[in-house]
């Protein structure tokens, strides 16, 4: 565009170009619409007319249009040919099986030879006329006729021949004939795959005909599978390769399963079979990268089974699994990735492609993982065995000792696996090594059967070590390497060392962690956080097991609980993040157990134990005032501990009232802190009111108003004065505690009072409170007064309702209930709006 033109001329040019573009766009859109109609015309009811702008197009008139075919000619042809070939095949089979005996030997030979020859020769002429589908159908018929010829030959000429041997020879002859026929007529797709399928039979059937056993049959299957592998590697048609792959998988899998079974029963027979199967599998893995991982994994498993089977008879029974694990680890070391400075690794990397290394390493790691699974039952016994208690606490008996019936080599498997993973400088490997070390220490007392004291000491040391690693996980990350960013054509170049490092191109969370490229903005010590949490989880899991084991002896119980309390407090003080909070809450629960143990040792009854348990929420309230990071979780845990204290004191109502009052004092002391004032003050008020009610029930007071009104009146006066000073104060804060202190006990007394004065007085008082709440828009008065009035009225009407219901016919109450439901359902939306309106009005009150 020439910018030197005057603005008016340039505007004309711009408008002209825009108009040209709009016209071109409209033309292309019209062409696109016509193409879509033409593309989907077979599925529509009418065919599209020619494109208007196409040269030579004729306008379509309103006359009739040709009908649209509901299938393509190609698909119809295939269906017809398939049906025709199937019918001819059925006819040939019927002729061979049924009508064969009605003809002489000459007639039989002439008919079979003529029909088979015609069926095999016809495709040649058909292919010259480019009738490929017809030739495929006729060729398929000819192949079936050849099978029938072989069957007829056996029935007539060779009836005494062994069936398996004859089938093996016939399959070999047919496979060769079909291979030659398919190679000569390369445009036919059926003969070569059928030849490959027939080639699966000669060797296995020949071995069975010769009386070979499972080992010979497995070798025959393996040789056939190797031949299938050669077909896969050196043939081009996809159908042939797929057929060979199916045969190789089936027969090779049978050979491998047989070799694995023989490696357990007859190692010197199974090992050669397994190694012979592994060699061609590795060759296939090297030649076909797409199958490298799977094929090399199968070969690796076969090699491990062979080596383990040969070594197993030379070792004791308890060492069988460790032998297989060592063989698997040796295989994994062969397939390990190459590293800089590692000559063996570099040589291995040059010899083996990446997929093969990955498959071999995966196979070895899988065997080792199975060995670790075998070694886990002692871990479960060491962890859960102490909790399966069958004796009394502090009985001095140790029933868990009877469960130590596992071989000591299980610990060896865990130790070897942990050492191997610890040598891998990756985070996942370090996590696995840490978990295996914890499992090793947990299973160690079970497998060798250590004494009770040593077992308890080892469990406490395991817990202590895990919690120490949770506080200081730095040594666990020493030497840890993170993967470098992938470098490729689309990967941006790394920035200089002085600039912040760019994120990993692969998206890995620590792909950019390297000493030369610091990232100040990244979270600190992410691997340490993961390992710290894993160690912390192990410590928390081991702690209950140690406590359960310590319950066998009184002194051991106090030792274990005291040690765990010190450890958890240490984590809560020295730890970081959420681990501090979890450790602090666990420390509260441990302290609770220690209090219960002291009470049990002193012979306290349940109600005295309940009072002792209140020391825990008192201590958490004191700690919460100082330890701000963990204050709220610690106080909540302490409050939860108070609930079993109330349950223990329930058998003695007087002590229950005392426990409620003491808990109220603790809550009131907590309410001194500004951040806890709102919730703690309400909790204290509720606890004090509950304590008062329980005390009144203990004293068997028949007139609770004499004790509640002296509290209610001053409380209401104080609330009134506060509302005068603070108009924003809630009515629940000002009047709720005072009203509840009288209304609730009086309501309970009214429900148990057979006389009428108390319910009448309560109803009048509740009505006055309700009216005052509605008049001055006070939510607490309205809700409390209305609730008390409704319950009191229900109490008064209940006898009459029962009497009326008893006098009515039995069908009438259900009918009335049904009518009520119909009425409510018919006006449901209106009732819902009324309920929402009432809720909003009550919510707007103070």
């Amino acid at each position: 565009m020439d910018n030197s033109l005057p603005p008016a001329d340039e505007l004309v040019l711009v408008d002209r170009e825009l108009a040209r573009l709009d016209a071109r766009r409209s033309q292309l859109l019209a062409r696109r619409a016509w193409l879509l109609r033409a593309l989907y015309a077979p599925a529509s009811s009418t065919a599209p007319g020619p494109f208007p702008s196409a040269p030579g197009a004729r306008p379509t008139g309103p006359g009739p249009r040709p009908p649209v075919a509901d299938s393509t000619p190609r698909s119809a042809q295939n269906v017809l040919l398939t049906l025709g070939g199937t019918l001819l095949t059925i006819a040939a089979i019927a002729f061979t099986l049924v009508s064969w005996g009605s003809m002489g030997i000459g007639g039989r030979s002439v008919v079979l030879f003529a029909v088979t020859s015609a069926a095999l020769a016809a495709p040649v002429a058909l292919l010259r006329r480019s009738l490929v589908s017809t030739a495929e159908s006729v060729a398929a018929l000819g192949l079936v006729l050849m099978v029938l010829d072989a069957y007829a030959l056996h029935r007539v000429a060779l009836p005494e021949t062994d069936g398996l041997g004859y089938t093996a020879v016939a399959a070999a002859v047919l496979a060769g004939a079909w291979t030659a026929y398919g190679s000569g007529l390369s445009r036919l797709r059926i003969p070569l795959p059928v030849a490959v399928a027939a080639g699966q039979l000669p060797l296995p059937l020949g071995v069975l005909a010769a009386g070979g056993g499972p080992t010979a049959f497995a070798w025959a299957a393996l040789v056939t599978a190797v031949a299938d592998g050669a077909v896969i590697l050196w043939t081009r048609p996809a159908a042939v390769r797929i057929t060979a792959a199916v045969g190789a998988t089936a027969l090779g899998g049978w050979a491998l399963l047989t070799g694995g079974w023989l490696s357990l029963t007859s190692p010197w027979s199974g090992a050669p079979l397994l190694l012979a199967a592994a060699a061609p599998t590795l060759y296939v893995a090297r030649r076909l990268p797409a199958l490298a991982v799977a094929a090399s994994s199968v070969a690796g498993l076969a090699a491990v089974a062979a080596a383990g089977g040969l070594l197993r008879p030379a070792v004791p029974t308890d060492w069988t699994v460790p032998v297989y694990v060592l063989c698997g680890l040796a295989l994994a070391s062969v397939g390990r990735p190459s590293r800089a400075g590692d000559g063996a690794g570099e040589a291995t990397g040059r010899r083996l492609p990446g997929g093969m290394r990955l498959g071999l390493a995966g196979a070895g790691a899988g065997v080792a993982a199975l060995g670790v699974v075998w070694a886990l039952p002692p871990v479960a016994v060491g962890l859960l065995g102490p909790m399966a208690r069958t004796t009394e606490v502090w009985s001095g008996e140790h029933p868990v000792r009877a469960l130590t019936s596992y071989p000591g080599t299980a610990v060896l498997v865990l130790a070897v696996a942990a050492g191997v993973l610890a040598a891998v400088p990756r985070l996942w490997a370090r996590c696995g090594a840490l978990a295996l070390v914890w499992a090793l220490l947990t299973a160690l007392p079970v497998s060798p059967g250590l004494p009770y004291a040593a077992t308890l000491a080892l469990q406490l040391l395991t817990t202590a070590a895990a919690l120490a690693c949770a506080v200081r996980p730095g040594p666990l990350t020493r030497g840890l390497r993170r993967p470098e960013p992938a470098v490729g054509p689309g990967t941006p170049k790394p920035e200089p060392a002085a600039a912040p490092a760019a994120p990993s191109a692969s998206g890995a969370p620590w792909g950019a962690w390297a000493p030369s490229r610091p990232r100040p903005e990244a979270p600190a010590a992410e691997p340490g956080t993961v390992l710290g949490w894993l160690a912390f989880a192990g410590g928390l899991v081991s702690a209950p097991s140690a406590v359960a084991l310590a319950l066998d002896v009184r002194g051991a119980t106090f030792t274990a609980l005291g040690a765990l309390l010190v450890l958890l407090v240490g984590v809560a003080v020295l730890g970081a993040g959420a681990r501090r909070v979890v450790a602090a809450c666990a420390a509260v629960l441990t302290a609770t157990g220690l209090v219960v143990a002291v009470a049990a040792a002193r012979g306290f009854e349940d109600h005295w134990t309940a009072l002792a348990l209140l020391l825990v929420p008192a201590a958490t309230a004191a700690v919460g005032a100082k330890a701000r990071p963990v204050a709220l979780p610690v106080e909540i845990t302490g409050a939860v501990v108070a609930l079993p204290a109330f349950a223990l004191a329930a058998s003695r109502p007087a002590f229950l009232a005392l426990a409620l009052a003491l808990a109220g004092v603790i809550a009131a002391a907590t309410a001194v802190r500004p951040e806890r004032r709102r919730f703690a003050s309400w909790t204290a008020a509720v606890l004090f009111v509950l304590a008062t009610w329980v005390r009144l029930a203990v004293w068997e007071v028949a007139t609770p108003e004499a004790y509640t009104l002296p509290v209610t009146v001053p409380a209401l006066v104080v609330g009134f004065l506060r509302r005068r000073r603070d108009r924003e104060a809630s009515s629940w804060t000002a009047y709720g505690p005072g009203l509840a202190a009288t209304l609730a006990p009086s309501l309970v007394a009214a429900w148990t009072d057979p006389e009428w004065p108390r319910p009448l007085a309560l109803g009048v008082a509740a009505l006055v409170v309700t009216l005052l709440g509605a008049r001055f828009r006070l939510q607490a008065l309205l809700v409390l007064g209305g609730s008390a009035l409704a319950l009191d009225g229900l109490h008064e009407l209940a006898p009459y309702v029962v009497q009326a219901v008893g006098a009515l016919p039995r069908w009438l109450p259900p009918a009335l209930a049904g009518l009520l439901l119909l009425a409510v359902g018919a006006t449901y939306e209106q009732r819902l709006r009324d309920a929402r309106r009432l809720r909003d009005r009550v919510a707007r009150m103070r």
Side-chain angles (χ1 to χ4, degrees):
M1 184 177 294
D2 190 0
N3 293 329
S4 62
L5 294 176
D9 296 338
E10 185 176 352
L11 179 60
V12 171
L13 291 177
V14 169
D15 291 339
R16 189 177 301 164
E17 290 293 330
L18 290 175
R20 186 180 295 110
L21 290 175
D22 289 339
R24 181 58 178 168
R25 184 175 184 275
S26 300
Q27 181 183 5
L28 292 177
L29 287 175
R31 180 65 179 177
R32 180 179 181 275
W34 184 89
L35 291 174
L36 288 175
R37 289 196 303 270
L39 181 62
Y40 296 102
S44 61
S45 60
T46 57
F51 186 67
S53 61
R58 292 178 298 175
T60 58
R65 302 188 179 200
V68 179
D70 57 356
S71 63
T72 61
R74 185 75 174 180
S75 61
Q77 178 192 23
N78 292 335
V79 170
L80 293 176
L81 292 175
T82 303
L83 290 176
T86 303
L87 292 176
L88 288 176
T89 302
I90 294 174
I93 295 175
F95 171 77
T96 304
L97 298 179
V98 178
S99 301
W100 184 259
S102 62
M103 300 180 64
I105 186 63
R108 301 171 191 173
S109 303
V110 170
V111 170
L112 278 177
F113 179 78
V115 174
T116 304
S117 301
L120 294 177
V124 178
L126 293 173
L127 289 175
R128 291 176 182 175
R129 297 177 177 271
S130 299
L131 299 176
V132 180
S133 299
T134 307
E136 291 278 1
S137 300
V138 177
L141 175 63
L143 299 182
V144 174
L145 288 174
M146 292 181 71
V147 176
L148 296 177
D149 289 344
Y151 168 75
L153 180 63
H154 178 262
R155 287 290 303 273
V156 175
L158 304 170
E160 304 298 330
T161 307
D162 179 64
L164 286 177
Y166 179 81
T167 304
V169 174
V173 172
L174 290 175
W178 291 341
T179 301
Y181 185 74
S183 301
L185 301 178
S186 59
R187 297 177 64 184
L188 296 178
R189 294 174 295 177
I190 293 179
L192 290 179
V194 174
V196 173
Q200 312 300 312
L201 301 178
L203 284 179
L205 293 182
V207 169
L208 292 179
T215 304
F217 183 84
W219 277 103
L222 177 60
V223 172
T224 306
V226 172
D228 290 333
V231 172
I232 296 173
L233 294 176
W234 292 308
T235 57
R236 188 175 298 275
V240 175
R241 300 177 68 183
I242 293 174
T243 306
V246 172
T249 303
L251 295 176
W254 180 265
L256 288 172
L257 291 176
T258 305
W261 173 69
L262 290 175
S263 69
L264 299 177
T265 58
S266 179
W268 291 102
S269 299
L273 181 60
L274 289 172
L275 294 177
T281 307
L282 283 177
Y283 183 78
V284 171
R286 193 177 187 91
R287 288 292 304 273
L288 299 177
L291 302 176
V293 176
S296 57
S297 299
V298 173
L301 292 175
V304 170
L310 292 176
L311 295 176
R312 183 177 52 82
V315 298
T317 305
D318 292 348
W319 286 84
T320 299
V321 174
V323 163
Y324 281 98
V325 170
L326 293 176
C327 293
L329 293 176
L331 179 65
S333 66
V334 171
R336 73 186 188 278
S338 60
R339 293 183 296 171
D342 186 359
E346 292 177 358
T348 303
R350 288 193 297 267
R351 288 194 301 266
L352 298 178
M356 293 184 63
R357 286 190 284 109
L358 181 60
L360 293 176
V367 173
L370 291 177
V372 171
V373 172
W374 171 82
L376 288 182
V379 181
V381 172
L383 187 64
L384 303 178
M387 300 181 185
R389 178 168 300 280
T390 58
T391 58
E392 295 183 358
V393 176
W394 297 346
S395 63
E397 300 179 6
H398 314 301
V400 73
R401 298 296 94 205
L403 301 175
T404 58
S405 59
Y406 293 94
T409 52
V411 177
L412 176 62
V413 171
L414 295 174
V416 171
V420 170
L421 287 179
V424 179
R426 291 288 184 270
L427 178 60
W428 62 269
R430 292 291 172 84
C431 291
L434 182 61
L436 289 177
V437 169
W438 172 83
L440 167 65
L441 295 176
T442 304
L444 189 59
V446 176
S447 295
L450 296 179
Y452 174 77
T455 300
L456 179 59
L458 186 58
Q459 286 201 350
L460 291 175
L461 289 176
T462 301
T463 305
L467 295 178
C469 292
V471 175
R472 292 290 182 268
L476 299 176
T477 63
R478 191 167 300 160
L480 190 64
R481 295 191 300 111
R482 295 179 178 180
E484 293 295 330
V487 179
T491 305
K493 295 182 179 180
E495 298 182 5
S504 170
S506 60
W510 32 68
W513 182 36
S516 61
R517 296 194 298 168
R519 296 185 63 186
E521 72 280 2
E526 287 183 0
T529 302
V530 175
L531 292 169
W533 270 110
L534 186 61
F536 185 61
L540 290 182
V541 172
S542 297
S545 179
V547 172
L549 183 62
L551 292 178
D552 292 347
V553 181
R554 177 179 300 183
T557 301
F558 289 102
T559 301
L561 288 174
L564 289 176
L565 182 60
V566 172
L567 291 172
L568 292 171
V569 170
V571 176
V573 174
L574 302 176
R579 291 196 292 272
R580 298 184 61 186
V581 176
V582 178
C585 296
V588 173
L589 297 178
T590 304
T592 303
L594 195 58
V595 170
V596 173
V598 171
R602 301 296 296 176
F604 288 175
E605 296 183 9
D606 289 346
H607 52 276
W608 288 110
T609 303
L611 297 181
L613 280 176
L614 292 178
L615 295 174
V616 176
T620 56
V623 171
K626 301 295 183 182
R628 296 305 176 95
V630 296
L632 183 59
V634 166
E635 292 175 15
I636 293 175
T637 307
V640 172
V641 172
L643 298 179
F646 299 151
L648 290 174
S651 59
R652 300 286 293 272
F655 279 87
L656 177 59
L658 179 58
L660 291 170
L662 292 176
V665 171
I666 297 172
T670 307
V672 175
R673 294 155 52 191
E675 69 276 9
R676 301 285 187 267
R677 181 166 300 162
R678 181 178 180 86
F679 181 78
S681 61
W682 274 99
T683 304
V686 171
L687 291 173
F688 283 137
V689 170
L690 290 176
T692 303
W693 293 348
V694 174
R695 176 53 62 183
L696 293 176
V698 171
W699 287 341
E700 298 181 355
V701 173
T703 310
E705 292 82 4
Y707 299 91
T708 58
L709 284 176
V711 177
T712 296
V713 173
L716 294 177
V717 172
V718 172
F720 177 74
L721 295 177
R722 181 179 178 183
R723 288 271 299 177
R724 290 187 61 182
R725 292 194 305 268
D726 184 11
R727 291 292 182 182
E728 298 297 327
S730 172
S731 62
W732 288 98
T733 304
Y735 304 119
L739 291 174
T742 295
L743 289 178
S746 299
L747 186 61
V748 174
W751 270 76
T752 59
D753 191 351
E755 303 296 333
W756 60 269
R758 183 191 300 275
L760 178 60
L762 177 61
V764 172
L767 178 60
V768 172
V769 171
T770 304
L771 294 175
L772 289 175
R775 170 65 179 83
F776 296 103
R777 302 177 59 81
L778 299 176
Q779 190 181 95
L781 275 66
L782 183 62
V783 173
L784 292 177
S787 300
L789 182 61
L791 293 175
D792 185 65
L794 179 62
H795 171 263
E796 293 303 309
L797 292 177
Y800 302 102
V801 172
V802 172
Q803 184 178 1
V805 171
L808 293 174
R810 294 187 176 182
W811 59 267
L812 188 57
L816 294 176
L819 291 175
L820 178 62
L821 292 177
L822 288 176
V824 173
T827 60
Y828 175 76
E829 294 296 335
Q830 181 62 35
R831 301 287 79 80
L832 190 61
R833 286 193 294 268
D834 294 342
R836 289 172 179 170
R837 193 178 301 113
L838 178 61
R839 181 197 61 187
D840 296 338
R841 289 178 180 175
V842 173
R844 285 195 294 269
M845 295 181 179
R846 295 298 301 168

